[in-house]
Amino acid sequence: MTDWKTGFLCLMTRPREPLFYPKYGGQTYMALPEHFLTDRYRPLAPMISKRFGSAPNHVVVKSIDPPDFTYALEIPRNGNYNTFSPKHRNISGKLVQDFMNAPDPEILLSMASYARDRLNPLLFQYALTVALLHRKDTHDVPVLSLLEMFPKRFVDPLLFPQLEEEGFVVDQPQRVAIEIPMVYSASEELLEQRLAYFREDLGINLHHWHWHITYPVEGPIEIVRKDRRGELFYYMHRQILVRYIAERFCHHMPPPTSLDNLREPIPEAYFPKLLNSALNRTFAGRAENAVITHVNRPNDEDSVATVLEIENWVNRFKEAVTNGYVLAEDGKHVPLDDATGIDLLGNVMENSLLSPNIPYYGNIHSMLHSIIGFVHDPDNLYLEGTGVIGDIATSIRDPIFYRLHTFVDDLFEDYLKKLAPYTSKQLGYPGVTIEDVSVQVSNGKAAVNRLLTFWQRSQVDLGVGLDFGPTGNVLATFTHLQHAPFVYRINVMNDSQKVRRGTVRIFLAPIYNGSGKAIQFNQQRRYVIELDKFTATLTPGINNIVRRSDESSVTIPFERAFRRQDIATMPGTESFRFCNCGWPDHMLIPQGSPHGMPYDLFVMVSDYRQDAVNVNFDEHVDCNDSHSYCGLRDQFYPDRRTMGFPFDRVVPKEINHMEDFARSFSNMKRTVVEIRFTNTTISKV
């Protein structure tokens, strides 16, 4: 391994320790030029070299003139860093640009080494991660997850004294894992706490964070302008929302109400009991019936807005949908056509650099997060930081996230409802007939069309993020939802005398809502959960397609999200970079119920000639396996159809049920599957 690759790992390890402090059990020492040391340590340079330089492995950092990071110092090193803040976004975008401009990895390592101990740790790690993800010459440098770098942002802080005690007192082989409690943010008497296993799931929160660093809103335009990024913003968040809604139905709860009236009190309280790692203060809690008025924190956040201002932005967004065009800054009309309209609206809503008129349409999505995140201290009178809703790494934990995104999704749906229903030519595939569809747990012992869920205990290593803590592995055990692996069996008849190709699209949809009432199709189509999408070669006659659940185009495997990254495990491929973007496999399907909850399983084989784009990829190679939510690196999104096809548009009024829709076309099939939950816990092998 080259020195600079090891150096980048050291930059991400124990982010609040001085960089010269030996890493990886005292075995690796970053040999810094003396002028790279901060003012506190520069007078101690000889002592530092003598005391720590005895480590067996040295990474010699090349000396360069100190870069000018004055602009980044506007975010205090021990202050709050908020990716929803316009000011902080702008600063982080400049820092990413500086890192991207480095001529080679060695110079980048030098620039980052100079910056690391001077800048806000969260700002620095965000910018470095984005740069490493997007530079072509750092393709084989693994990127640590935020859980590894800042575990206190994800795990109950009461755990850390126990972790440190175990690590310091007990030698490596005899250490035991410390248990992360499933219930620690609220009492089980609280109805919403039934959903804590979903909202506070480590994998889901990491997915949301990693998606946003894969698709940053500011920085070099070449990394912001990704194919269909605005549409991905809409679709990925819709899928998070519908997965949450499905879990609510499992617990006899209604879907979240839209946050469409910002002047009403917020009945949902949330007290996260997590530390904001840069401050070592807890994320702020929110009491019941908090009232949003404004946010006015220009000094530390540059978050300044009123409810009226956000309402005006929303009205202009709605006006664009009604008129069928977005107004550009130069006064031109940018049409919202069928192919690109949702992508354009996604960029406007997220307020990325690709928004055509930021002054006019404002900053709806980010400012909604910020204004709610500071509802407890909008004027900074009490010097309180944001709540978890104001941070991309933690916002999914808060129940208000789902009301906020119900509101956002409704705005997108207003546009989608204006589009004409798909035609028979767009939906059909003449000569292709799905004869049968079934699913079964992989071991073959369960009944056909019955899926099984349960609790699983797994371990994660938090040692990388324990600043000045014990060396080696420091393990924590957490309990999460899991499903038994299963396979799809799809029998497809190709009536043609030639080989054809099709795109197999698999969706799951709840049949009944939380009250046990059947959901009408025009609402059900908004609740569909994408499970998989892949291409299949159809030979003349019957084709028996078998597909495993762990091959899903939506998910990444458990090890991808939670495997510890260090010098010993550094891979020689790209498998731990862009590939960390993806929904966690253990949350692919909803919990179901102890007696079995029915769902519609919908399978469609669409005409590949209408689906194909100018890209060839192997879903089993590199980072291509979670492309439904994350796209492909440096390539077009691998599906010409709009995301969510064929459920993203309204249907004729006579179609009231999923069965009606599927029966209309030979290349579609609907079957009912049951998800049965067993309230037992097993340990991951």
PDB file of all heavy atoms in Angstrom, residues 11 14-17 75-79 81 95 115-129 146 149-150 277-279 467:
ATOM      1  N   LEU A  11      -6.329  10.082   8.133  1.00  0.00           N
ATOM      2  CA  LEU A  11      -7.081  11.337   8.190  1.00  0.00           C
ATOM      3  C   LEU A  11      -8.513  11.115   8.669  1.00  0.00           C
ATOM      4  O   LEU A  11      -9.112  11.985   9.310  1.00  0.00           O
ATOM      5  CB  LEU A  11      -7.116  11.990   6.805  1.00  0.00           C
ATOM      6  CG  LEU A  11      -5.850  12.699   6.329  1.00  0.00           C
ATOM      7  CD1 LEU A  11      -5.972  13.045   4.855  1.00  0.00           C
ATOM      8  CD2 LEU A  11      -5.598  13.951   7.140  1.00  0.00           C
ATOM      9  N   ARG A  14     -10.300   8.408  14.027  1.00  0.00           N
ATOM     10  CA  ARG A  14     -10.303   9.181  15.267  1.00  0.00           C
ATOM     11  C   ARG A  14     -10.179  10.679  14.974  1.00  0.00           C
ATOM     12  O   ARG A  14      -9.156  11.314  15.245  1.00  0.00           O
ATOM     13  CB  ARG A  14      -9.196   8.700  16.189  1.00  0.00           C
ATOM     14  CG  ARG A  14      -9.360   7.202  16.490  1.00  0.00           C
ATOM     15  CD  ARG A  14      -8.520   6.757  17.645  1.00  0.00           C
ATOM     16  NE  ARG A  14      -8.845   5.380  17.993  1.00  0.00           N
ATOM     17  CZ  ARG A  14      -8.650   4.838  19.197  1.00  0.00           C
ATOM     18  NH1 ARG A  14      -8.133   5.567  20.157  1.00  0.00           N
ATOM     19  NH2 ARG A  14      -8.959   3.592  19.432  1.00  0.00           N
ATOM     20  N   PRO A  15     -11.221  11.249  14.388  1.00  0.00           N
ATOM     21  CA  PRO A  15     -11.106  12.569  13.748  1.00  0.00           C
ATOM     22  C   PRO A  15     -10.817  13.734  14.675  1.00  0.00           C
ATOM     23  O   PRO A  15     -10.429  14.801  14.198  1.00  0.00           O
ATOM     24  CB  PRO A  15     -12.460  12.741  13.049  1.00  0.00           C
ATOM     25  CG  PRO A  15     -13.365  11.793  13.730  1.00  0.00           C
ATOM     26  CD  PRO A  15     -12.542  10.645  14.169  1.00  0.00           C
ATOM     27  N   ARG A  16     -10.965  13.561  15.999  1.00  0.00           N
ATOM     28  CA  ARG A  16     -10.654  14.686  16.880  1.00  0.00           C
ATOM     29  C   ARG A  16      -9.295  14.536  17.561  1.00  0.00           C
ATOM     30  O   ARG A  16      -8.872  15.419  18.304  1.00  0.00           O
ATOM     31  CB  ARG A  16     -11.754  14.865  17.926  1.00  0.00           C
ATOM     32  CG  ARG A  16     -13.072  15.359  17.312  1.00  0.00           C
ATOM     33  CD  ARG A  16     -14.041  15.790  18.388  1.00  0.00           C
ATOM     34  NE  ARG A  16     -13.542  16.933  19.128  1.00  0.00           N
ATOM     35  CZ  ARG A  16     -13.706  18.209  18.779  1.00  0.00           C
ATOM     36  NH1 ARG A  16     -14.365  18.508  17.671  1.00  0.00           N
ATOM     37  NH2 ARG A  16     -13.221  19.180  19.522  1.00  0.00           N
ATOM     38  N   GLU A  17      -8.600  13.445  17.339  1.00  0.00           N
ATOM     39  CA  GLU A  17      -7.222  13.334  17.792  1.00  0.00           C
ATOM     40  C   GLU A  17      -6.317  14.131  16.860  1.00  0.00           C
ATOM     41  O   GLU A  17      -6.572  14.193  15.647  1.00  0.00           O
ATOM     42  CB  GLU A  17      -6.756  11.874  17.766  1.00  0.00           C
ATOM     43  CG  GLU A  17      -7.344  10.988  18.820  1.00  0.00           C
ATOM     44  CD  GLU A  17      -6.773   9.577  18.754  1.00  0.00           C
ATOM     45  OE1 GLU A  17      -5.936   9.315  17.853  1.00  0.00           O
ATOM     46  OE2 GLU A  17      -7.166   8.753  19.584  1.00  0.00           O
ATOM     47  N   ILE A  75     -16.612  28.586  10.047  1.00  0.00           N
ATOM     48  CA  ILE A  75     -17.314  27.586  10.846  1.00  0.00           C
ATOM     49  C   ILE A  75     -16.366  27.205  11.978  1.00  0.00           C
ATOM     50  O   ILE A  75     -15.328  26.583  11.731  1.00  0.00           O
ATOM     51  CB  ILE A  75     -17.685  26.351  10.020  1.00  0.00           C
ATOM     52  CG1 ILE A  75     -18.558  26.745   8.828  1.00  0.00           C
ATOM     53  CG2 ILE A  75     -18.411  25.319  10.887  1.00  0.00           C
ATOM     54  CD1 ILE A  75     -18.892  25.595   7.902  1.00  0.00           C
ATOM     55  N   PRO A  76     -16.645  27.573  13.207  1.00  0.00           N
ATOM     56  CA  PRO A  76     -15.704  27.297  14.304  1.00  0.00           C
ATOM     57  C   PRO A  76     -15.382  25.810  14.412  1.00  0.00           C
ATOM     58  O   PRO A  76     -16.246  24.960  14.157  1.00  0.00           O
ATOM     59  CB  PRO A  76     -16.456  27.800  15.546  1.00  0.00           C
ATOM     60  CG  PRO A  76     -17.448  28.779  15.022  1.00  0.00           C
ATOM     61  CD  PRO A  76     -17.845  28.285  13.667  1.00  0.00           C
ATOM     62  N   ARG A  77     -14.148  25.543  14.798  1.00  0.00           N
ATOM     63  CA  ARG A  77     -13.737  24.139  14.911  1.00  0.00           C
ATOM     64  C   ARG A  77     -14.642  23.369  15.872  1.00  0.00           C
ATOM     65  O   ARG A  77     -14.974  22.219  15.616  1.00  0.00           O
ATOM     66  CB  ARG A  77     -12.280  24.051  15.377  1.00  0.00           C
ATOM     67  CG  ARG A  77     -11.824  22.609  15.594  1.00  0.00           C
ATOM     68  CD  ARG A  77     -10.322  22.476  15.635  1.00  0.00           C
ATOM     69  NE  ARG A  77      -9.921  21.134  16.023  1.00  0.00           N
ATOM     70  CZ  ARG A  77      -9.918  20.066  15.215  1.00  0.00           C
ATOM     71  NH1 ARG A  77     -10.306  20.206  13.958  1.00  0.00           N
ATOM     72  NH2 ARG A  77      -9.528  18.883  15.643  1.00  0.00           N
ATOM     73  N   ASN A  78     -15.036  23.985  16.949  1.00  0.00           N
ATOM     74  CA  ASN A  78     -15.888  23.317  17.926  1.00  0.00           C
ATOM     75  C   ASN A  78     -17.340  23.773  17.820  1.00  0.00           C
ATOM     76  O   ASN A  78     -18.112  23.622  18.774  1.00  0.00           O
ATOM     77  CB  ASN A  78     -15.363  23.561  19.339  1.00  0.00           C
ATOM     78  CG  ASN A  78     -14.006  22.930  19.558  1.00  0.00           C
ATOM     79  OD1 ASN A  78     -13.795  21.768  19.200  1.00  0.00           O
ATOM     80  ND2 ASN A  78     -13.069  23.681  20.121  1.00  0.00           N
ATOM     81  N   GLY A  79     -17.705  24.316  16.667  1.00  0.00           N
ATOM     82  CA  GLY A  79     -19.072  24.768  16.468  1.00  0.00           C
ATOM     83  C   GLY A  79     -19.904  23.748  15.719  1.00  0.00           C
ATOM     84  O   GLY A  79     -19.451  22.660  15.366  1.00  0.00           O
ATOM     85  N   TYR A  81     -21.896  22.198  12.583  1.00  0.00           N
ATOM     86  CA  TYR A  81     -21.837  22.176  11.121  1.00  0.00           C
ATOM     87  C   TYR A  81     -23.149  21.604  10.619  1.00  0.00           C
ATOM     88  O   TYR A  81     -23.562  20.507  11.023  1.00  0.00           O
ATOM     89  CB  TYR A  81     -20.661  21.326  10.636  1.00  0.00           C
ATOM     90  CG  TYR A  81     -20.697  21.066   9.143  1.00  0.00           C
ATOM     91  CD1 TYR A  81     -20.528  22.103   8.242  1.00  0.00           C
ATOM     92  CD2 TYR A  81     -20.909  19.782   8.639  1.00  0.00           C
ATOM     93  CE1 TYR A  81     -20.574  21.876   6.883  1.00  0.00           C
ATOM     94  CE2 TYR A  81     -20.940  19.543   7.281  1.00  0.00           C
ATOM     95  CZ  TYR A  81     -20.779  20.590   6.403  1.00  0.00           C
ATOM     96  OH  TYR A  81     -20.828  20.363   5.049  1.00  0.00           O
ATOM     97  N   LEU A  95     -14.566  24.006  -0.169  1.00  0.00           N
ATOM     98  CA  LEU A  95     -13.530  23.094   0.319  1.00  0.00           C
ATOM     99  C   LEU A  95     -13.437  21.859  -0.563  1.00  0.00           C
ATOM    100  O   LEU A  95     -12.332  21.391  -0.876  1.00  0.00           O
ATOM    101  CB  LEU A  95     -13.838  22.705   1.769  1.00  0.00           C
ATOM    102  CG  LEU A  95     -12.744  21.929   2.516  1.00  0.00           C
ATOM    103  CD1 LEU A  95     -11.421  22.675   2.511  1.00  0.00           C
ATOM    104  CD2 LEU A  95     -13.193  21.640   3.950  1.00  0.00           C
ATOM    105  N   ALA A 115      -5.274  20.886   6.774  1.00  0.00           N
ATOM    106  CA  ALA A 115      -6.605  21.374   7.142  1.00  0.00           C
ATOM    107  C   ALA A 115      -7.205  20.625   8.326  1.00  0.00           C
ATOM    108  O   ALA A 115      -7.958  21.207   9.117  1.00  0.00           O
ATOM    109  CB  ALA A 115      -7.543  21.246   5.940  1.00  0.00           C
ATOM    110  N   ARG A 116      -6.877  19.375   8.476  1.00  0.00           N
ATOM    111  CA  ARG A 116      -7.631  18.490   9.373  1.00  0.00           C
ATOM    112  C   ARG A 116      -7.730  19.003  10.800  1.00  0.00           C
ATOM    113  O   ARG A 116      -8.816  18.999  11.401  1.00  0.00           O
ATOM    114  CB  ARG A 116      -7.004  17.102   9.370  1.00  0.00           C
ATOM    115  CG  ARG A 116      -7.727  16.074  10.257  1.00  0.00           C
ATOM    116  CD  ARG A 116      -6.931  14.790  10.254  1.00  0.00           C
ATOM    117  NE  ARG A 116      -7.577  13.733  11.003  1.00  0.00           N
ATOM    118  CZ  ARG A 116      -7.420  13.516  12.298  1.00  0.00           C
ATOM    119  NH1 ARG A 116      -6.663  14.340  13.010  1.00  0.00           N
ATOM    120  NH2 ARG A 116      -8.002  12.490  12.894  1.00  0.00           N
ATOM    121  N   ASP A 117      -6.633  19.402  11.395  1.00  0.00           N
ATOM    122  CA  ASP A 117      -6.648  19.796  12.804  1.00  0.00           C
ATOM    123  C   ASP A 117      -7.009  21.258  13.017  1.00  0.00           C
ATOM    124  O   ASP A 117      -6.999  21.748  14.154  1.00  0.00           O
ATOM    125  CB  ASP A 117      -5.284  19.509  13.444  1.00  0.00           C
ATOM    126  CG  ASP A 117      -4.999  18.022  13.533  1.00  0.00           C
ATOM    127  OD1 ASP A 117      -5.943  17.226  13.378  1.00  0.00           O
ATOM    128  OD2 ASP A 117      -3.822  17.654  13.734  1.00  0.00           O
ATOM    129  N   ARG A 118      -7.329  21.961  11.927  1.00  0.00           N
ATOM    130  CA  ARG A 118      -7.696  23.370  12.026  1.00  0.00           C
ATOM    131  C   ARG A 118      -9.191  23.601  11.795  1.00  0.00           C
ATOM    132  O   ARG A 118      -9.758  24.554  12.323  1.00  0.00           O
ATOM    133  CB  ARG A 118      -6.894  24.199  11.011  1.00  0.00           C
ATOM    134  CG  ARG A 118      -5.414  24.305  11.350  1.00  0.00           C
ATOM    135  CD  ARG A 118      -4.622  24.962  10.220  1.00  0.00           C
ATOM    136  NE  ARG A 118      -3.266  25.313  10.680  1.00  0.00           N
ATOM    137  CZ  ARG A 118      -2.254  24.456  10.741  1.00  0.00           C
ATOM    138  NH1 ARG A 118      -2.454  23.198  10.350  1.00  0.00           N
ATOM    139  NH2 ARG A 118      -1.062  24.837  11.189  1.00  0.00           N
ATOM    140  N   LEU A 119      -9.802  22.737  10.980  1.00  0.00           N
ATOM    141  CA  LEU A 119     -11.177  22.974  10.564  1.00  0.00           C
ATOM    142  C   LEU A 119     -12.151  22.168  11.416  1.00  0.00           C
ATOM    143  O   LEU A 119     -11.774  21.212  12.100  1.00  0.00           O
ATOM    144  CB  LEU A 119     -11.351  22.592   9.091  1.00  0.00           C
ATOM    145  CG  LEU A 119     -10.427  23.291   8.091  1.00  0.00           C
ATOM    146  CD1 LEU A 119     -10.829  22.928   6.672  1.00  0.00           C
ATOM    147  CD2 LEU A 119     -10.434  24.802   8.286  1.00  0.00           C
ATOM    148  N   ASN A 120     -13.405  22.565  11.334  1.00  0.00           N
ATOM    149  CA  ASN A 120     -14.463  21.817  11.986  1.00  0.00           C
ATOM    150  C   ASN A 120     -14.413  20.360  11.521  1.00  0.00           C
ATOM    151  O   ASN A 120     -14.389  20.092  10.318  1.00  0.00           O
ATOM    152  CB  ASN A 120     -15.811  22.439  11.630  1.00  0.00           C
ATOM    153  CG  ASN A 120     -16.971  21.735  12.265  1.00  0.00           C
ATOM    154  OD1 ASN A 120     -17.374  20.670  11.835  1.00  0.00           O
ATOM    155  ND2 ASN A 120     -17.528  22.355  13.298  1.00  0.00           N
ATOM    156  N   PRO A 121     -14.368  19.393  12.431  1.00  0.00           N
ATOM    157  CA  PRO A 121     -14.193  17.995  12.025  1.00  0.00           C
ATOM    158  C   PRO A 121     -15.283  17.485  11.091  1.00  0.00           C
ATOM    159  O   PRO A 121     -14.998  16.728  10.153  1.00  0.00           O
ATOM    160  CB  PRO A 121     -14.202  17.231  13.358  1.00  0.00           C
ATOM    161  CG  PRO A 121     -13.823  18.235  14.382  1.00  0.00           C
ATOM    162  CD  PRO A 121     -14.369  19.538  13.897  1.00  0.00           C
ATOM    163  N   LEU A 122     -16.534  17.882  11.331  1.00  0.00           N
ATOM    164  CA  LEU A 122     -17.616  17.407  10.464  1.00  0.00           C
ATOM    165  C   LEU A 122     -17.515  18.021   9.076  1.00  0.00           C
ATOM    166  O   LEU A 122     -17.722  17.342   8.064  1.00  0.00           O
ATOM    167  CB  LEU A 122     -18.965  17.738  11.099  1.00  0.00           C
ATOM    168  CG  LEU A 122     -19.292  16.945  12.363  1.00  0.00           C
ATOM    169  CD1 LEU A 122     -20.492  17.556  13.070  1.00  0.00           C
ATOM    170  CD2 LEU A 122     -19.550  15.495  12.032  1.00  0.00           C
ATOM    171  N   LEU A 123     -17.206  19.309   9.007  1.00  0.00           N
ATOM    172  CA  LEU A 123     -16.979  19.962   7.718  1.00  0.00           C
ATOM    173  C   LEU A 123     -15.836  19.283   6.973  1.00  0.00           C
ATOM    174  O   LEU A 123     -15.959  18.951   5.790  1.00  0.00           O
ATOM    175  CB  LEU A 123     -16.654  21.440   7.941  1.00  0.00           C
ATOM    176  CG  LEU A 123     -16.007  22.186   6.756  1.00  0.00           C
ATOM    177  CD1 LEU A 123     -16.994  22.324   5.613  1.00  0.00           C
ATOM    178  CD2 LEU A 123     -15.465  23.545   7.196  1.00  0.00           C
ATOM    179  N   PHE A 124     -14.717  19.069   7.664  1.00  0.00           N
ATOM    180  CA  PHE A 124     -13.553  18.487   7.014  1.00  0.00           C
ATOM    181  C   PHE A 124     -13.853  17.093   6.495  1.00  0.00           C
ATOM    182  O   PHE A 124     -13.534  16.767   5.338  1.00  0.00           O
ATOM    183  CB  PHE A 124     -12.377  18.429   7.995  1.00  0.00           C
ATOM    184  CG  PHE A 124     -11.198  17.668   7.463  1.00  0.00           C
ATOM    185  CD1 PHE A 124     -10.331  18.251   6.555  1.00  0.00           C
ATOM    186  CD2 PHE A 124     -10.978  16.349   7.837  1.00  0.00           C
ATOM    187  CE1 PHE A 124      -9.256  17.546   6.036  1.00  0.00           C
ATOM    188  CE2 PHE A 124      -9.906  15.629   7.331  1.00  0.00           C
ATOM    189  CZ  PHE A 124      -9.044  16.227   6.424  1.00  0.00           C
ATOM    190  N   GLN A 125     -14.446  16.254   7.319  1.00  0.00           N
ATOM    191  CA  GLN A 125     -14.687  14.874   6.896  1.00  0.00           C
ATOM    192  C   GLN A 125     -15.710  14.815   5.767  1.00  0.00           C
ATOM    193  O   GLN A 125     -15.602  13.976   4.870  1.00  0.00           O
ATOM    194  CB  GLN A 125     -15.139  14.029   8.085  1.00  0.00           C
ATOM    195  CG  GLN A 125     -14.103  13.889   9.187  1.00  0.00           C
ATOM    196  CD  GLN A 125     -12.849  13.137   8.751  1.00  0.00           C
ATOM    197  OE1 GLN A 125     -12.812  12.496   7.706  1.00  0.00           O
ATOM    198  NE2 GLN A 125     -11.788  13.236   9.553  1.00  0.00           N
ATOM    199  N   TYR A 126     -16.694  15.713   5.791  1.00  0.00           N
ATOM    200  CA  TYR A 126     -17.655  15.766   4.683  1.00  0.00           C
ATOM    201  C   TYR A 126     -16.945  16.088   3.376  1.00  0.00           C
ATOM    202  O   TYR A 126     -17.106  15.392   2.366  1.00  0.00           O
ATOM    203  CB  TYR A 126     -18.732  16.812   4.979  1.00  0.00           C
ATOM    204  CG  TYR A 126     -19.654  17.085   3.798  1.00  0.00           C
ATOM    205  CD1 TYR A 126     -20.784  16.323   3.588  1.00  0.00           C
ATOM    206  CD2 TYR A 126     -19.367  18.113   2.895  1.00  0.00           C
ATOM    207  CE1 TYR A 126     -21.620  16.558   2.506  1.00  0.00           C
ATOM    208  CE2 TYR A 126     -20.198  18.357   1.815  1.00  0.00           C
ATOM    209  CZ  TYR A 126     -21.322  17.579   1.625  1.00  0.00           C
ATOM    210  OH  TYR A 126     -22.123  17.818   0.543  1.00  0.00           O
ATOM    211  N   ALA A 127     -16.148  17.158   3.380  1.00  0.00           N
ATOM    212  CA  ALA A 127     -15.493  17.597   2.146  1.00  0.00           C
ATOM    213  C   ALA A 127     -14.484  16.562   1.656  1.00  0.00           C
ATOM    214  O   ALA A 127     -14.391  16.291   0.452  1.00  0.00           O
ATOM    215  CB  ALA A 127     -14.810  18.948   2.365  1.00  0.00           C
ATOM    216  N   LEU A 128     -13.717  15.978   2.573  1.00  0.00           N
ATOM    217  CA  LEU A 128     -12.740  14.971   2.162  1.00  0.00           C
ATOM    218  C   LEU A 128     -13.442  13.745   1.594  1.00  0.00           C
ATOM    219  O   LEU A 128     -13.011  13.185   0.578  1.00  0.00           O
ATOM    220  CB  LEU A 128     -11.865  14.574   3.347  1.00  0.00           C
ATOM    221  CG  LEU A 128     -10.802  13.505   3.047  1.00  0.00           C
ATOM    222  CD1 LEU A 128      -9.791  14.012   2.029  1.00  0.00           C
ATOM    223  CD2 LEU A 128     -10.097  13.063   4.327  1.00  0.00           C
ATOM    224  N   THR A 129     -14.525  13.319   2.223  1.00  0.00           N
ATOM    225  CA  THR A 129     -15.261  12.155   1.735  1.00  0.00           C
ATOM    226  C   THR A 129     -15.804  12.394   0.333  1.00  0.00           C
ATOM    227  O   THR A 129     -15.684  11.547  -0.554  1.00  0.00           O
ATOM    228  CB  THR A 129     -16.413  11.818   2.703  1.00  0.00           C
ATOM    229  OG1 THR A 129     -15.877  11.508   3.985  1.00  0.00           O
ATOM    230  CG2 THR A 129     -17.205  10.626   2.202  1.00  0.00           C
ATOM    231  N   LEU A 146     -19.844   7.375   8.295  1.00  0.00           N
ATOM    232  CA  LEU A 146     -19.962   8.339   9.382  1.00  0.00           C
ATOM    233  C   LEU A 146     -20.127   7.637  10.727  1.00  0.00           C
ATOM    234  O   LEU A 146     -19.746   8.165  11.763  1.00  0.00           O
ATOM    235  CB  LEU A 146     -21.147   9.273   9.121  1.00  0.00           C
ATOM    236  CG  LEU A 146     -21.043  10.657   9.774  1.00  0.00           C
ATOM    237  CD1 LEU A 146     -19.883  11.438   9.199  1.00  0.00           C
ATOM    238  CD2 LEU A 146     -22.337  11.440   9.602  1.00  0.00           C
ATOM    239  N   MET A 149     -16.593   7.098  11.905  1.00  0.00           N
ATOM    240  CA  MET A 149     -15.886   8.320  12.281  1.00  0.00           C
ATOM    241  C   MET A 149     -16.514   9.017  13.482  1.00  0.00           C
ATOM    242  O   MET A 149     -15.811   9.543  14.344  1.00  0.00           O
ATOM    243  CB  MET A 149     -15.834   9.267  11.080  1.00  0.00           C
ATOM    244  CG  MET A 149     -14.938   8.789   9.948  1.00  0.00           C
ATOM    245  SD  MET A 149     -14.718  10.038   8.657  1.00  0.00           S
ATOM    246  CE  MET A 149     -16.271   9.938   7.767  1.00  0.00           C
ATOM    247  N   PHE A 150     -17.841   9.061  13.522  1.00  0.00           N
ATOM    248  CA  PHE A 150     -18.545   9.802  14.575  1.00  0.00           C
ATOM    249  C   PHE A 150     -19.654   8.930  15.164  1.00  0.00           C
ATOM    250  O   PHE A 150     -20.847   9.209  14.978  1.00  0.00           O
ATOM    251  CB  PHE A 150     -19.132  11.103  14.015  1.00  0.00           C
ATOM    252  CG  PHE A 150     -18.111  12.053  13.460  1.00  0.00           C
ATOM    253  CD1 PHE A 150     -17.947  12.189  12.090  1.00  0.00           C
ATOM    254  CD2 PHE A 150     -17.302  12.800  14.306  1.00  0.00           C
ATOM    255  CE1 PHE A 150     -17.007  13.065  11.564  1.00  0.00           C
ATOM    256  CE2 PHE A 150     -16.363  13.677  13.796  1.00  0.00           C
ATOM    257  CZ  PHE A 150     -16.201  13.819  12.421  1.00  0.00           C
ATOM    258  N   SER A 277     -21.136  15.267  17.367  1.00  0.00           N
ATOM    259  CA  SER A 277     -19.746  14.922  17.662  1.00  0.00           C
ATOM    260  C   SER A 277     -18.805  16.120  17.676  1.00  0.00           C
ATOM    261  O   SER A 277     -17.803  16.114  18.394  1.00  0.00           O
ATOM    262  CB  SER A 277     -19.255  13.893  16.644  1.00  0.00           C
ATOM    263  OG  SER A 277     -20.082  12.760  16.667  1.00  0.00           O
ATOM    264  N   ALA A 278     -19.077  17.130  16.883  1.00  0.00           N
ATOM    265  CA  ALA A 278     -18.165  18.271  16.851  1.00  0.00           C
ATOM    266  C   ALA A 278     -18.264  19.099  18.128  1.00  0.00           C
ATOM    267  O   ALA A 278     -17.294  19.722  18.558  1.00  0.00           O
ATOM    268  CB  ALA A 278     -18.461  19.150  15.642  1.00  0.00           C
ATOM    269  N   LEU A 279     -19.443  19.085  18.734  1.00  0.00           N
ATOM    270  CA  LEU A 279     -19.670  19.927  19.908  1.00  0.00           C
ATOM    271  C   LEU A 279     -19.576  19.158  21.216  1.00  0.00           C
ATOM    272  O   LEU A 279     -19.352  19.748  22.267  1.00  0.00           O
ATOM    273  CB  LEU A 279     -21.077  20.543  19.834  1.00  0.00           C
ATOM    274  CG  LEU A 279     -21.389  21.433  18.639  1.00  0.00           C
ATOM    275  CD1 LEU A 279     -22.874  21.723  18.596  1.00  0.00           C
ATOM    276  CD2 LEU A 279     -20.614  22.726  18.735  1.00  0.00           C
ATOM    277  N   ASP A 467     -12.017   8.743  19.912  1.00  0.00           N
ATOM    278  CA  ASP A 467     -10.849   9.606  20.064  1.00  0.00           C
ATOM    279  C   ASP A 467     -10.211   9.400  21.429  1.00  0.00           C
ATOM    280  O   ASP A 467     -10.901   9.402  22.454  1.00  0.00           O
ATOM    281  CB  ASP A 467     -11.262  11.065  19.896  1.00  0.00           C
ATOM    282  CG  ASP A 467     -11.858  11.332  18.529  1.00  0.00           C
ATOM    283  OD1 ASP A 467     -11.171  11.092  17.533  1.00  0.00           O
ATOM    284  OD2 ASP A 467     -13.022  11.759  18.466  1.00  0.00           O
TER     285      ASP A 467
END
